Amino acid sequence: MNLKKFKNEILDAPFLFNLVRSILIGGKTKMYTQIKNAVNANPNSRVLDVGCGTGEFAFLFNESVDYTGIDLNKHFLAHASLTYKNQNKRFIQMNAAKMDFKQKEFDIVLLLSFMHHFPGETLNKILKEVNRVAKSRIIVLDPIPRKYNPLSKLFYALDRGDFIRNKKEQLTVLDKHFKIEGYKEFKTGLYTLSIIQCSPNP
Ligand SMILES: C[S@@+](CC[C@H](N)C(=O)[O-])C[C@H]1O[C@@H](n2cnc3c(N)ncnc32)[C@H](O)[C@@H]1O
């Protein structure tokens, strides 16, 4: 078994995925605050979290927000459903490249730590679907390469996503599908993360 396959299988366990993420990100408070501020969901908003994983970010939304998370990984979804049992949140196994939702079904669509898992062609299919189901806003969070820190380089290499893009590459791929409304970067632990606010194209 090669290292990447071994690592992916280990990280399929929700507890280990969350623990590793917490170590690499250096605690999560800063990331949570940045996401919450960028999303700024109104009560009754319909929010779709694409590639929601273990539901890491679902707690940022209170009961007035109608939250749906989709992912392919059934272990992550089972963990999320258990964590948020009896809350206004649902977790569904669905492929982001072919979503079973109506046009403009969600006010806000989230792509959190998701984009860097896909090569250009697959990502374009997913973003096209996101543009179809998003009504008002799309919020993207993704790592940015940190070239000059050798420790960061090592941990980025261990990330499950093989397609970490720099600012220009991220904006280029998003600009094909959405209108870019805002971009910022912040450092947390060994990572630099971008947070990008977009609106869907008509
Ligand atoms: C790095 S994880 C991020 C999870 C979550 N957004 C977070 O930040 O904690 C990427 C997630 O995308 C999911 N995923 C990969 N391909 C997918 C696809 N085609 N459709 C839906 N989810 C997918 C994986 O199962 C994984 O849970």
Side-chain angles (χ1 to χ4, degrees), residues 17 21 51-53 56-57 71-73 76 94-96 112-114 117-118:
F17 176 85
R21 151 74 88 54
C52 62
E56 169 83 47
F57 299 110
D71 205 284
L72 288 179
N73 185 318
F76 285 178
M94 197 185 287
N95 185 352
L112 304 176
S113 198
F114 181 74
H117 290 268
F118 305 97

Side-chain angles (χ1 to χ4, degrees), residues 28-42:
K28 299 177 185 169
T29 317
K30 194 169 181 182
M31 178 172 66
Y32 291 148
T33 308
Q34 293 285 346
I35 294 170
K36 197 159 185 204
N37 291 344
V39 176
N40 194 19
N42 293 324

Side-chain angles (χ1 to χ4, degrees), residues 83-100:
T83 307
Y84 297 101
K85 200 167 56 174
N86 304 326
Q87 295 190 29
N88 189 18
K89 295 177 175 47
R90 67 208 58 76
F91 297 90
I92 304 169
Q93 191 172 34
M94 197 185 287
N95 185 352
K98 202 171 181 303
M99 289 190 246
D100 193 14

Side-chain angles (χ1 to χ4, degrees), residues 41 54 82 95 99 105 111 159 165 170 186:
T54 56
L82 199 64
N95 185 352
M99 289 190 246
E105 185 157 341
L111 300 169
D159 193 290
R165 297 173 172 86
Q170 288 188 1
F186 62 98

